[in-house]
Amino acid sequence: NIQLRNATITINTQTSVYSKQPLDVNITIVEDMKPVNGGYVIFKINGCTLKDDTNKTIKVIPTDSMAQLNYILPSHIGGGKYVLTVIYTNKYYNQMRVNSSFNIYKRSIADINIDTIEIKTKENTTLNIQLNDMMGKKLVGNMKVAIKLNSKTLIHTTAVDGIINTTLNTDTLKSGNYTITVKVGENSLYNMGSYDVNLIVKDRDVNIKISTTN
């Protein structure tokens, strides 16, 4: 009667990370304080097995009782509470699994200064804005955007990968100073953001020609 052996797994990882950041996991596998090698380790987040870019299950083979994972969180894993499961398989040992909880925080959108826009009456306004996250990286995915003029909503649009490119119907505005407010809604990866843009509308110049006849 040959029985499988029992190993002990210890997880050392972050308790919190930001979305789309690397999740570093260090695993130690021992039996009675002695290193355990061979076999392989797989990882799950909330029950979903982690896979590489070729859609193959990530398997790490322990060396000197250590197994390491550096996993960049993909876009479909947003902010929230998660459970990391580590599963060790070895033909000489009973399968072992250990859980560890961690949080993913949404990234904030970086503040930006948008130059004052000057137009003349009977002209429309074009907004072309690039949004980055707090780490200076371009946003990923779609975010809903509401654009207001003096607190009145003008248009709803979508920022694609952090780019807002839209035309506002301002051709009916009289000369004066206005405030355009760009409100970016949150999604699973990013917190909401809000930006104000000054709009100056000036009267158009008119040339008058007078012709006389003798």
Side-chain angles (χ1 to χ4, degrees):
N1 183 15
I2 300 177
Q3 295 182 341
L4 295 176
R5 308 175 74 91
N6 291 314
T8 301
I9 301 176
T10 303
I11 300 177
N12 184 10
T13 186
Q14 304 108 305
T15 57
S16 60
V17 293
Y18 282 99
S19 59
K20 294 188 63 60
Q21 268 193 312
L23 177 67
D24 295 317
V25 184
N26 293 295
I27 307 299
T28 303
I29 306 171
V30 297
E31 179 190 4
D32 296 330
M33 304 301 291
K34 296 179 181 180
V36 173
N37 297 312
Y40 59 88
V41 179
I42 67 171
F43 306 85
K44 294 177 180 284
I45 292 180
N46 280 13
C48 295
T49 302
L50 302 190
K51 298 185 178 182
D52 60 19
D53 294 337
T54 64
N55 204 35
K56 292 183 178 179
T57 298
I58 296 173
K59 295 181 179 181
V60 179
I61 299 174
T63 302
D64 294 329
S65 79
M66 301 292 296
Q68 295 180 326
L69 172 71
N70 180 266
Y71 181 72
I72 297 178
L73 295 167
S75 299
H76 65 268
I77 300 181
K81 295 182 179 181
Y82 293 86
V83 175
L84 170 70
T85 302
V86 175
I87 302 173
Y88 176 58
T89 300
N90 186 320
K91 64 181 179 180
Y92 299 114
Y93 289 84
N94 288 305
Q95 188 180 79
M96 300 290 296
R97 63 173 59 208
V98 179
N99 294 329
S100 178
S101 298
F102 69 101
N103 295 316
I104 298 178
Y105 296 118
K106 297 180 181 181
R107 296 192 184 199
S108 297
I109 303 175
D111 291 332
I112 55 174
N113 293 319
I114 304 174
D115 294 336
T116 296
I117 299 173
E118 293 188 6
I119 62 172
K120 292 184 178 181
T121 53
K122 302 180 71 65
E123 289 181 352
N124 290 324
T125 302
T126 299
L127 285 180
N128 194 342
I129 302 171
Q130 172 66 62
L131 300 176
N132 297 323
D133 66 21
M134 60 190 187
M135 298 175 184
K137 296 183 178 181
K138 294 181 180 180
L139 305 190
V140 176
N142 297 340
M143 301 184 75
K144 294 181 179 180
V145 177
I147 300 176
K148 299 185 176 185
L149 180 69
N150 285 4
S151 300
K152 182 179 179 180
T153 301
L154 280 183
I155 190 173
H156 291 279
T157 185
T158 301
V160 180
D161 293 336
I163 296 176
I164 301 173
N165 192 344
T166 189
T167 298
L168 305 181
N169 295 325
T170 54
D171 56 341
T172 59
L173 295 179
K174 297 180 180 180
S175 61
N177 295 334
Y178 300 85
T179 298
I180 297 174
T181 301
V182 180
K183 288 189 172 293
V184 183
E186 67 177 342
N187 63 10
S188 63
L189 298 177
Y190 305 99
N191 293 311
M192 65 181 299
S194 181
Y195 309 93
D196 287 337
V197 187
N198 293 322
L199 173 66
I200 299 175
V201 181
K202 295 182 178 180
D203 286 325
R204 307 183 71 85
D205 296 326
V206 178
N207 293 324
I208 301 177
K209 292 183 179 181
I210 300 176
S211 61
T212 60
T213 59
N214 294 326

